Amino acid sequence: MPWSLDSVLLPPCALLGGPPLSGLLWTFLLLFLWYCYRVGSDPPSHSGMLKSGSGRSSFSRSSSCSPVDPRHSVPKASAAITMEMVEEEEGTESYLTPVLSHAPFPTEAAAESKKLYRALQEYAKRYSWAGMGRIHKGLRNQARINDRPSIQKPHLFYLPDVPSIPFFPRDAHRHDIEVLEASYPIILAEFQAMYQRGIDTKLGWSYQGPKGQTVFPLYNAGVCVARNCRACPCTYRTLLSLRTFISSNSLGSAGFCLLGPGATLGGAYGPTNTRLRCHLGLQTPAQCELVVGGEPQCWSEGHCLLVDDSFLHTISHNGGAEDGPRVIFSVDLWHPNVAAAERQALDYIFAPEQ
């Protein structure tokens, strides 16, 4: 059946507000409307997918249709890269995905580092690999850290990309420092009561390092010493009120530390850079000195020092017997640049041995 423009109902020229339109103009108008209709009714194209997979498709066609010249063969991908490609194609995410992009764990690593790495894997299986990049990198490079000559060399675990200085300002842990300094009178009173009873291992004291270094621990490597905490109830409650006290892993300790006159603790490194050691001065003779990373500092009674003991540090008491021992209350706090997810993982990895 023939079709013409005469069958289309055209509006009167008066309504169009102009001269009569020619048949050619109406033809273009109808073609434009037809084009818009077709474009709107077509299904969405997959050009993006074809574009992203074009390289793989062309490779498949070339590999199936043309012989491969062994002289120009493509080198085989590593196992890690192969696993990553399979996971990407399947659209699934494995708990190993963030680790496969790193270098494999070194076989020459120490047994302790391998043990810690296995603990990290167990944590990731149970929870997530999210936020574990720095911990994984630190465990992998620990042997290299131990072998290098450096003024900062934690012997157990080094967390990379953490800003470090020997002494931190008060603002790094303002809340906890203010709590400790406000509790200074009661902490000093409880120490004096214990000290008057005598220093004896049967009373909860322990000797560390050379003669003259004595410790009364409330927490020892993440484990609460219940007997000593009962002897200092107010000090124990102060510890529990701190926001960043490391109380759940073997990297954290807290207690009273005594250094006798004439004693010196030679150059040593702390176990990790993930903590800061807070010293509250209780009895600090003028002849006592703390040198961390080559920077000397002195204690002050009733005030706190924030120390990164992963730096090379020495402690000396050059006073006489009449000066008495140097006494501080030492508390291990989290480094402010260790994220919450990393703290949780480190609590799991360095869980205290009961």
Side-chain angles (χ1 to χ4, degrees), residues 152-167:
Q152 184 188 26
K153 189 166 63 174
H155 57 80
L156 183 58
F157 175 65
Y158 176 79
L159 186 66
D161 305 323
V162 173
S164 298
I165 53 177
F167 295 97

Side-chain angles (χ1 to χ4, degrees), residues 9-22 25-26 29:
L9 298 177
L10 301 179
C13 296
L15 295 179
L16 294 175
L21 296 178
S22 65
L25 292 178
W26 278 106
L29 177 61

Side-chain angles (χ1 to χ4, degrees), residues 329-354:
F329 182 63
S330 177
V331 185
D332 289 332
L333 308 176
W334 283 109
H335 192 290
N337 293 97
V338 178
E342 294 173 325
R343 296 180 186 184
Q344 181 179 345
L346 292 174
D347 282 343
Y348 185 91
I349 296 171
F350 294 97
E353 298 180 0
Q354 301 289 346

